[in-house]
């Protein structure tokens, strides 16, 4: 048996005893160079791989080799840079500076505005998004017929853009002739402004009222923009009456959108509403595997689990951390151990932030687009009541303040009012998933570290 077929035999045995990811990353590209006086010389692709194999697979390799050639005494590993490195493909030194750069190339279609990187195939489905995915898939079957509009909402970095673009891409694949337009509500707003400025509202209207599928991302940004809302309302009605599909994403439920006309909200509520919540542990693991597959690099499972444990509420951050670890390990030439990964993560995950009352007041005000002074004031306007109660509730839950302290800080109110508010919100959260999600989002803004 020559060296090469001998090594293939060893590899096929190792393949059975290691995870697929580990095998691909560390072992597949190794090579048996020679056997000299009982010493097997094995070439590996990098220092990185050498350390890893020596630490983790040495015994296993030795055993397999000895099964075939009993007089092997030991193994020496050498580095052969000519061996291809299957991991960290096409990465340059500069990627370190910007982790986002390690995304596969951005491919945006000029006509539709869709990025082909967002597909159903690479969108991991779990309990946190399955309703939204099912509704989106139904829309791709028969656009404009069943769920119109489709309104997808959820917190930052949870996959809204990915999902609505995947829906657009799937429709494009299925119905070649359908005209699809994807854009953010900010872009829509800018175009309304331009159209008015250049007195060209006619061509603006034609542009959007002639499509078969209109996808608007982050609709919350039209809050407070009356002219844009009016234009959108007319576009919406026109498309809707022609059975054209409308897909909208938002960071919150329609009813919770501040400063958006009632008539628009009730349009949004007229179709299918589905939310995306934070992914569970298993889904986070599955997403990490999906991202590693796309980038063709694999980290040991213990690091994958570490990431999924540490970063729970934002998939964009989870992805960012994955890229950071891979790049840092590679360029600092560290073996991929849990310890090293922890060291790298420390830099981006500070301990839970310390928050105070002012932070709660400002975060809640900002979330509901209100002036903090108004919230503290005695004004009894309806739109102020809920945010005020949420502030009381969070001050109790997150800061452990006494009712009287909260009452005093919130414009010298009666402490029984605070007591009532805290109880009311606690109860309401149990029954009302929209409120629960709003409060979760406020909390994640309060504690945002990444
Ligand atoms: P949002 O629009 O809700 O802020 P994005 O759609 O931009 O979030 O998602 C952030 C990142 O997380 C994207 O790179 C996206 O591909 C990824 N992502 C989110 N959810 C999933 C999922 N279920 N499966 C795979 N990738 C996901
Ligand atoms: Mg988005």
């Amino acid at each position: 048996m020559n060296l090469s077929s001998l090594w293939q035999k060893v590899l096929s045995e190792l393949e059975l005893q290691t995870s697929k990811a580990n095998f691909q990353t560390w072992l597949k590209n190794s090579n048996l160079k020679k056997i000299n006086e009982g010493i097997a010389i094995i070439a590996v692709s990098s220092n990185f791989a050498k350390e890893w194999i020596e630490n983790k697979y040495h015994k296993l390799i030795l055993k397999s080799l000895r099964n075939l050639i009993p007089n092997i005494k030991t193994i020496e590993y050498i580095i052969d840079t000519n061996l291809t490195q299957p991991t960290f493909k096409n990465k340059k030194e500069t990627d370190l500076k910007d982790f986002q750069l390690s995304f596969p190339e951005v491919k945006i279609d000029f006509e539709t505005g869709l990025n082909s990187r967002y597909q159903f195939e690479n969108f991991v489905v779990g309990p946190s998004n399955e309703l939204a995915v099912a509704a989106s898939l139904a829309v791709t079957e028969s656009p404009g017929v069943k769920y119109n509009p489709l309104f997808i909402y959820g917190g930052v970095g949870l996959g809204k853009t990915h999902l609505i673009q995947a829906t657009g891409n799937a429709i494009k694949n299925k119905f070649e002739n359908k005209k699809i337009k994807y854009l953010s509500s900010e872009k829509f707003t800018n175009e309304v402004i331009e159209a008015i400025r250049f007195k060209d509202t006619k061509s603006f209207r034609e542009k959007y009222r002639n499509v078969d599928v209109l996808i608007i991302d982050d609709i919350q940004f039209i809050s407070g923009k009356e002219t844009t809302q009016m234009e959108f309302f007319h576009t919406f009605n026109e498309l809707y009456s022609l059975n054209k599909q409308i897909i909208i994403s938002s960071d919150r439920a329609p009813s919770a959108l501040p400063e958006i006309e009632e008539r628009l909200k009730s349009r949004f509520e007229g179709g299918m509403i589905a939310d995306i919540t934070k992914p569970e542990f298993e889904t986070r693991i599955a997403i990490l595997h999906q991202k590693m597959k796309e980038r063709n690099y694999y980290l040991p499972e213990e690091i994958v689990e570490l990431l999924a444990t540490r970063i729970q509420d934002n998939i964009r951050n989870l992805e960012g951390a994955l890229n950071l670890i891979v790049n840092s390990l590679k360029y600092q030439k560290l073996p991929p151990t849990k310890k090293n990964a922890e060291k790298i993560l420390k830099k981006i995950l500070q301990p839970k932030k310390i928050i105070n009352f002012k932070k709660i007041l400002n975060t809640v005000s900002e979330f509901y687009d209100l002036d903090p002074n108004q919230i503290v004031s005695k004004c009894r306007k309806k739109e102020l009541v809920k945010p005020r109660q949420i502030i009381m509730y969070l001050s109790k839950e997150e800061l452990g303040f006494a009712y009287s302290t909260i009452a005093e800080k919130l414009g010298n109110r009666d402490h029984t009012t605070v007591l009532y508010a805290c109880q009311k919100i606690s109860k309401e959260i149990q029954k009302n998933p929209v409120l629960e999600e709003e409060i979760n989002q406020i909390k994640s803004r309060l504690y945002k570290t990444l």
Side-chain angles (χ1 to χ4, degrees):
M1 202 172 353
N2 65 20
L3 287 176
S4 157
S5 50
L6 181 69
W7 189 238
Q8 283 314 314
K9 271 211 146 98
V10 174
L11 282 183
S12 48
E13 212 171 293
L14 291 172
E15 193 170 7
L16 296 175
Q17 299 182 54
T18 52
S19 76
K20 189 164 175 236
N22 277 324
F23 180 80
Q24 294 240 346
T25 312
W26 308 114
L27 299 165
K28 195 169 164 224
N29 285 299
S30 57
N31 215 338
L32 179 61
K33 284 277 180 199
K34 61 178 173 188
I35 298 174
N36 198 357
E37 296 177 357
I39 303 173
I41 312 280
I42 294 172
V44 299
S45 58
S46 65
N47 199 19
F48 194 47
K50 178 170 178 265
E51 267 182 69
W52 183 246
I53 292 174
E54 273 175 339
N55 283 332
K56 288 260 175 180
Y57 298 111
H58 177 71
K59 273 195 194 146
L60 209 58
I61 297 174
L62 193 59
K63 197 169 144 235
S64 308
L65 266 175
R66 278 182 183 154
N67 282 342
L68 298 165
I69 306 177
N71 66 355
I72 297 274
K73 285 198 276 275
T74 186
I75 301 173
E76 266 176 28
Y77 299 92
I78 58 164
I79 295 158
D80 179 352
T81 47
N82 289 326
L83 291 173
T84 41
Q85 297 190 34
T87 46
F88 324 116
K89 240 187 180 168
N90 304 327
K91 294 252 152 27
K92 294 193 209 85
E93 208 72 37
T94 48
D95 289 1
L96 246 189
K97 284 191 221 104
D98 183 357
F99 307 118
Q100 301 290 333
L101 269 186
S102 44
F103 282 137
E105 208 185 324
V106 177
K107 299 186 202 97
I108 295 174
D109 183 87
F110 179 73
E111 272 291 306
T112 61
L114 290 168
N115 184 334
S116 61
R117 140 177 136 77
Y118 297 119
Q119 302 287 347
F120 278 108
E121 287 72 28
N122 59 7
F123 193 76
V124 175
V125 185
S128 54
N129 59 23
E130 61 189 344
L131 174 67
V133 172
S136 303
L137 283 170
V139 163
T140 64
E141 290 299 317
S142 44
V145 178
K146 208 167 171 192
Y147 297 135
N148 208 12
L150 172 62
F151 191 99
I152 306 275
Y153 76 93
V156 189
L158 295 183
K160 301 181 297 293
T161 297
H162 189 141
L163 184 59
I164 60 176
Q165 290 220 25
T167 309
N169 280 318
I171 296 175
K172 189 79 210 165
N173 262 338
K174 222 177 186 136
F175 306 93
E176 240 173 70
N177 298 326
K178 285 211 187 293
K179 263 185 90 177
I180 303 173
K181 274 252 175 278
Y182 163 90
L183 74 164
S184 66
S185 78
E186 284 155 306
K187 184 147 187 266
F188 188 86
T189 305
N190 288 340
E191 294 194 10
V192 171
I193 295 168
E194 293 276 285
I196 293 169
R197 197 164 68 160
F198 296 110
K199 301 197 171 50
D200 195 12
T201 43
K202 191 165 162 270
S203 57
F204 167 80
R205 283 176 189 157
E206 271 165 19
K207 185 169 165 192
Y208 291 111
R209 293 182 196 178
N210 286 334
V211 301
D212 299 299
V213 181
L214 180 64
I215 308 175
I216 303 268
D217 207 348
D218 289 319
I219 197 75
Q220 73 273 9
F221 293 126
I222 66 168
S223 288
K225 297 177 182 135
E226 284 155 29
T227 317
T228 304
Q229 288 183 29
M230 194 183 71
E231 272 308 325
F232 187 65
F233 183 72
H234 293 307
T235 306
F236 186 105
N237 288 344
E238 177 94 13
L239 292 174
Y240 186 82
S241 66
L242 295 167
N243 285 332
K244 306 295 190 190
Q245 179 70 45
I246 300 152
I247 303 174
I248 297 165
S249 88
S250 163
D251 72 347
R252 59 196 88 179
S255 58
L257 286 166
E259 288 193 66
I260 287 199
E261 290 176 53
E262 284 308 320
R263 58 177 190 169
L264 251 185
K265 286 193 203 175
S266 66
R267 286 288 186 281
F268 295 162
E269 282 167 342
M272 171 74 179
I273 303 179
D275 65 342
I276 300 186
T277 56
K278 287 176 197 162
E280 306 65 29
F281 181 71
E282 291 77 9
T283 311
R284 298 199 293 277
I285 296 270
I287 290 172
L288 286 167
H289 279 272
Q290 171 63 36
K291 301 296 169 189
M292 291 194 293
K293 193 171 130 204
E294 277 167 36
R295 289 160 180 70
N296 196 17
Y297 56 60
Y298 300 91
L299 289 171
E301 210 47 36
E302 58 174 11
I303 299 187
V304 174
E305 281 177 18
L306 174 76
L307 280 167
T309 308
R310 291 296 166 78
I311 298 156
Q312 306 195 347
D313 42 46
N314 181 325
I315 298 168
R316 189 175 300 121
N317 290 347
L318 189 64
E319 227 181 312
L322 171 72
N323 289 330
L324 173 69
I325 296 226
V326 169
N327 288 324
S328 306
L329 288 175
K330 166 139 203 212
Y331 295 114
Q332 294 171 34
K333 299 204 166 33
L334 298 168
T337 57
K338 191 171 168 192
K339 231 187 186 159
N340 285 331
E342 264 174 344
K343 249 189 240 155
I344 297 162
L345 278 183
K346 230 185 212 148
K347 285 183 219 145
I348 52 166
L349 297 177
Q350 280 108 32
K352 216 175 185 196
K353 247 199 204 159
I354 298 172
I355 57 156
N356 53 28
F357 178 78
K358 199 164 161 217
K359 176 94 188 164
I360 293 181
L361 175 65
N362 289 335
T363 308
V364 174
S365 309
E366 197 183 300
F367 187 82
Y368 293 105
D369 211 6
L370 295 165
D371 176 358
N373 293 323
Q374 258 190 316
I375 294 195
V376 176
S377 79
K378 288 276 184 315
C379 172
R380 285 170 187 274
K381 260 199 199 152
K382 205 177 122 218
E383 77 225 42
L384 297 172
V385 176
K386 185 173 97 177
R388 202 179 268 148
Q389 290 179 332
I390 291 176
I391 291 172
M392 295 175 183
Y393 167 82
L394 288 173
S395 305
K396 183 80 204 154
E397 292 291 309
E398 305 296 305
L399 304 174
F401 279 4
Y403 297 122
S404 54
T405 313
I406 301 171
E408 189 189 318
K409 285 195 177 274
L410 257 179
N412 279 323
R413 299 187 135 71
D414 194 288
H415 81 274
T416 52
T417 314
V418 180
L419 174 75
Y420 167 78
C422 292
Q423 286 173 345
K424 178 161 181 254
I425 298 288
S426 309
K427 262 196 224 138
E428 185 85 14
I429 288 177
Q430 311 290 329
K431 291 187 296 199
N432 180 348
V434 173
L435 179 69
E436 186 190 1
E437 180 55 27
E438 282 175 40
I439 291 183
N440 278 338
Q441 275 202 47
I442 292 169
K443 277 194 201 161
S444 78
R445 289 188 191 189
L446 274 174
Y447 291 112
K448 194 158 73 187
T449 46
L450 248 161

